PDB file of all heavy atoms in Angstrom:
ATOM      1  N   TRP Y 290      -7.091   5.872   4.215  1.00  0.00           N
ATOM      2  CA  TRP Y 290      -6.283   6.721   3.398  1.00  0.00           C
ATOM      3  C   TRP Y 290      -7.167   7.579   2.532  1.00  0.00           C
ATOM      4  O   TRP Y 290      -8.085   7.136   1.813  1.00  0.00           O
ATOM      5  CB  TRP Y 290      -5.430   5.840   2.448  1.00  0.00           C
ATOM      6  CG  TRP Y 290      -4.379   6.519   1.607  1.00  0.00           C
ATOM      7  CD1 TRP Y 290      -4.455   7.658   0.995  1.00  0.00           C
ATOM      8  CD2 TRP Y 290      -3.078   5.989   1.328  1.00  0.00           C
ATOM      9  NE1 TRP Y 290      -3.269   8.011   0.303  1.00  0.00           N
ATOM     10  CE2 TRP Y 290      -2.424   6.995   0.539  1.00  0.00           C
ATOM     11  CE3 TRP Y 290      -2.405   4.821   1.696  1.00  0.00           C
ATOM     12  CZ2 TRP Y 290      -1.105   6.819   0.045  1.00  0.00           C
ATOM     13  CZ3 TRP Y 290      -1.100   4.655   1.233  1.00  0.00           C
ATOM     14  CH2 TRP Y 290      -0.529   5.682   0.435  1.00  0.00           C
ATOM     15  N   MET Y 291      -7.037   8.900   2.618  1.00  0.00           N
ATOM     16  CA  MET Y 291      -7.762   9.848   1.903  1.00  0.00           C
ATOM     17  C   MET Y 291      -6.939  10.900   1.167  1.00  0.00           C
ATOM     18  O   MET Y 291      -5.839  11.181   1.633  1.00  0.00           O
ATOM     19  CB  MET Y 291      -8.757  10.633   2.826  1.00  0.00           C
ATOM     20  CG  MET Y 291      -9.848   9.774   3.435  1.00  0.00           C
ATOM     21  SD  MET Y 291     -10.945  10.784   4.451  1.00  0.00           S
ATOM     22  CE  MET Y 291      -9.933  11.165   5.912  1.00  0.00           C
ATOM     23  N   GLY Y 292      -7.407  11.400   0.059  1.00  0.00           N
ATOM     24  CA  GLY Y 292      -6.716  12.429  -0.694  1.00  0.00           C
ATOM     25  C   GLY Y 292      -7.174  13.829  -0.227  1.00  0.00           C
ATOM     26  O   GLY Y 292      -8.288  14.197  -0.496  1.00  0.00           O
ATOM     27  N   TYR Y 293      -6.332  14.556   0.441  1.00  0.00           N
ATOM     28  CA  TYR Y 293      -6.578  15.924   0.811  1.00  0.00           C
ATOM     29  C   TYR Y 293      -6.348  16.808  -0.437  1.00  0.00           C
ATOM     30  O   TYR Y 293      -7.001  17.809  -0.698  1.00  0.00           O
ATOM     31  CB  TYR Y 293      -5.628  16.329   1.911  1.00  0.00           C
ATOM     32  CG  TYR Y 293      -5.561  17.796   2.226  1.00  0.00           C
ATOM     33  CD1 TYR Y 293      -6.472  18.472   3.039  1.00  0.00           C
ATOM     34  CD2 TYR Y 293      -4.482  18.595   1.679  1.00  0.00           C
ATOM     35  CE1 TYR Y 293      -6.342  19.813   3.320  1.00  0.00           C
ATOM     36  CE2 TYR Y 293      -4.375  19.990   1.874  1.00  0.00           C
ATOM     37  CZ  TYR Y 293      -5.307  20.584   2.776  1.00  0.00           C
ATOM     38  OH  TYR Y 293      -5.249  21.911   3.049  1.00  0.00           O
ATOM     39  N   GLU Y 294      -5.407  16.362  -1.235  1.00  0.00           N
ATOM     40  CA  GLU Y 294      -4.987  17.020  -2.483  1.00  0.00           C
ATOM     41  C   GLU Y 294      -4.346  18.427  -2.093  1.00  0.00           C
ATOM     42  O   GLU Y 294      -3.294  18.486  -1.547  1.00  0.00           O
ATOM     43  CB  GLU Y 294      -6.096  17.174  -3.471  1.00  0.00           C
ATOM     44  CG  GLU Y 294      -6.884  15.890  -3.757  1.00  0.00           C
ATOM     45  CD  GLU Y 294      -6.106  14.606  -3.939  1.00  0.00           C
ATOM     46  OE1 GLU Y 294      -4.860  14.622  -4.003  1.00  0.00           O
ATOM     47  OE2 GLU Y 294      -6.705  13.547  -3.937  1.00  0.00           O
ATOM     48  N   SER Y 295      -5.031  19.519  -2.405  1.00  0.00           N
ATOM     49  CA  SER Y 295      -4.444  20.868  -2.155  1.00  0.00           C
ATOM     50  C   SER Y 295      -5.539  21.856  -1.914  1.00  0.00           C
ATOM     51  O   SER Y 295      -6.649  21.743  -2.545  1.00  0.00           O
ATOM     52  CB  SER Y 295      -3.622  21.308  -3.334  1.00  0.00           C
ATOM     53  OG  SER Y 295      -3.272  22.687  -3.251  1.00  0.00           O
ATOM     54  N   MET Y 296      -5.284  22.847  -1.009  1.00  0.00           N
ATOM     55  CA  MET Y 296      -6.276  23.873  -0.753  1.00  0.00           C
ATOM     56  C   MET Y 296      -6.351  24.863  -1.932  1.00  0.00           C
ATOM     57  O   MET Y 296      -7.223  25.752  -2.010  1.00  0.00           O
ATOM     58  CB  MET Y 296      -5.976  24.613   0.547  1.00  0.00           C
ATOM     59  CG  MET Y 296      -4.649  25.389   0.550  1.00  0.00           C
ATOM     60  SD  MET Y 296      -4.361  26.066   2.241  1.00  0.00           S
ATOM     61  CE  MET Y 296      -2.835  26.937   1.959  1.00  0.00           C
ATOM     62  N   PHE Y 297      -5.458  24.696  -2.881  1.00  0.00           N
ATOM     63  CA  PHE Y 297      -5.469  25.616  -4.056  1.00  0.00           C
ATOM     64  C   PHE Y 297      -6.141  24.925  -5.311  1.00  0.00           C
ATOM     65  O   PHE Y 297      -6.087  25.537  -6.352  1.00  0.00           O
ATOM     66  CB  PHE Y 297      -4.031  25.968  -4.438  1.00  0.00           C
ATOM     67  CG  PHE Y 297      -3.356  26.830  -3.325  1.00  0.00           C
ATOM     68  CD1 PHE Y 297      -2.451  26.259  -2.485  1.00  0.00           C
ATOM     69  CD2 PHE Y 297      -3.624  28.221  -3.219  1.00  0.00           C
ATOM     70  CE1 PHE Y 297      -1.812  27.012  -1.494  1.00  0.00           C
ATOM     71  CE2 PHE Y 297      -3.035  28.922  -2.265  1.00  0.00           C
ATOM     72  CZ  PHE Y 297      -2.112  28.356  -1.386  1.00  0.00           C
ATOM     73  N   THR Y 298      -6.722  23.742  -5.098  1.00  0.00           N
ATOM     74  CA  THR Y 298      -7.410  23.117  -6.210  1.00  0.00           C
ATOM     75  C   THR Y 298      -8.807  22.761  -5.786  1.00  0.00           C
ATOM     76  O   THR Y 298      -9.114  22.646  -4.571  1.00  0.00           O
ATOM     77  CB  THR Y 298      -6.640  21.839  -6.625  1.00  0.00           C
ATOM     78  OG1 THR Y 298      -6.485  21.011  -5.549  1.00  0.00           O
ATOM     79  CG2 THR Y 298      -5.270  22.171  -7.232  1.00  0.00           C
ATOM     80  N   TYR Y 299      -9.695  22.495  -6.747  1.00  0.00           N
ATOM     81  CA  TYR Y 299     -11.037  22.169  -6.448  1.00  0.00           C
ATOM     82  C   TYR Y 299     -11.343  20.767  -6.878  1.00  0.00           C
ATOM     83  O   TYR Y 299     -11.135  20.380  -8.110  1.00  0.00           O
ATOM     84  CB  TYR Y 299     -12.040  23.081  -7.133  1.00  0.00           C
ATOM     85  CG  TYR Y 299     -13.471  22.627  -6.967  1.00  0.00           C
ATOM     86  CD1 TYR Y 299     -14.191  22.891  -5.797  1.00  0.00           C
ATOM     87  CD2 TYR Y 299     -14.099  21.903  -7.992  1.00  0.00           C
ATOM     88  CE1 TYR Y 299     -15.463  22.404  -5.642  1.00  0.00           C
ATOM     89  CE2 TYR Y 299     -15.420  21.469  -7.842  1.00  0.00           C
ATOM     90  CZ  TYR Y 299     -16.090  21.716  -6.661  1.00  0.00           C
ATOM     91  OH  TYR Y 299     -17.380  21.243  -6.514  1.00  0.00           O
ATOM     92  N   TYR Y 300     -11.765  19.891  -6.010  1.00  0.00           N
ATOM     93  CA  TYR Y 300     -12.245  18.609  -6.315  1.00  0.00           C
ATOM     94  C   TYR Y 300     -13.565  18.398  -5.605  1.00  0.00           C
ATOM     95  O   TYR Y 300     -13.610  18.620  -4.344  1.00  0.00           O
ATOM     96  CB  TYR Y 300     -11.271  17.471  -5.960  1.00  0.00           C
ATOM     97  CG  TYR Y 300      -9.993  17.510  -6.780  1.00  0.00           C
ATOM     98  CD1 TYR Y 300      -8.875  18.148  -6.253  1.00  0.00           C
ATOM     99  CD2 TYR Y 300      -9.957  16.960  -8.005  1.00  0.00           C
ATOM    100  CE1 TYR Y 300      -7.635  18.149  -7.015  1.00  0.00           C
ATOM    101  CE2 TYR Y 300      -8.827  17.021  -8.790  1.00  0.00           C
ATOM    102  CZ  TYR Y 300      -7.678  17.568  -8.295  1.00  0.00           C
ATOM    103  OH  TYR Y 300      -6.545  17.645  -9.062  1.00  0.00           O
ATOM    104  N   LYS Y 301     -14.518  17.915  -6.297  1.00  0.00           N
ATOM    105  CA  LYS Y 301     -15.874  17.846  -5.714  1.00  0.00           C
ATOM    106  C   LYS Y 301     -15.877  16.943  -4.487  1.00  0.00           C
ATOM    107  O   LYS Y 301     -16.605  17.169  -3.504  1.00  0.00           O
ATOM    108  CB  LYS Y 301     -16.831  17.231  -6.765  1.00  0.00           C
ATOM    109  CG  LYS Y 301     -18.303  17.182  -6.350  1.00  0.00           C
ATOM    110  CD  LYS Y 301     -19.177  16.632  -7.477  1.00  0.00           C
ATOM    111  CE  LYS Y 301     -20.618  16.559  -7.009  1.00  0.00           C
ATOM    112  NZ  LYS Y 301     -21.468  16.047  -8.132  1.00  0.00           N
ATOM    113  N   LYS Y 302     -15.026  15.951  -4.464  1.00  0.00           N
ATOM    114  CA  LYS Y 302     -14.971  15.008  -3.342  1.00  0.00           C
ATOM    115  C   LYS Y 302     -14.631  15.668  -2.047  1.00  0.00           C
ATOM    116  O   LYS Y 302     -14.971  15.165  -0.937  1.00  0.00           O
ATOM    117  CB  LYS Y 302     -13.986  13.873  -3.622  1.00  0.00           C
ATOM    118  CG  LYS Y 302     -12.521  14.335  -3.769  1.00  0.00           C
ATOM    119  CD  LYS Y 302     -11.567  13.243  -4.176  1.00  0.00           C
ATOM    120  CE  LYS Y 302     -10.171  13.727  -4.287  1.00  0.00           C
ATOM    121  NZ  LYS Y 302      -9.252  12.609  -4.700  1.00  0.00           N
ATOM    122  N   ASN Y 303     -13.961  16.784  -2.129  1.00  0.00           N
ATOM    123  CA  ASN Y 303     -13.493  17.491  -0.913  1.00  0.00           C
ATOM    124  C   ASN Y 303     -14.277  18.807  -0.668  1.00  0.00           C
ATOM    125  O   ASN Y 303     -13.845  19.552   0.252  1.00  0.00           O
ATOM    126  CB  ASN Y 303     -11.998  17.770  -0.946  1.00  0.00           C
ATOM    127  CG  ASN Y 303     -11.157  16.537  -0.943  1.00  0.00           C
ATOM    128  OD1 ASN Y 303     -11.604  15.507  -0.425  1.00  0.00           O
ATOM    129  ND2 ASN Y 303      -9.924  16.592  -1.497  1.00  0.00           N
TER     130      ASN Y 303
END
Side-chain angles (χ1 to χ4, degrees):
W290 187 321
M291 293 184 287
Y293 167 85
E294 314 314 354
S295 168
M296 63 184 182
F297 295 101
T298 56
Y299 172 80
Y300 292 99
K301 187 178 178 180
K302 64 184 181 182
N303 294 335

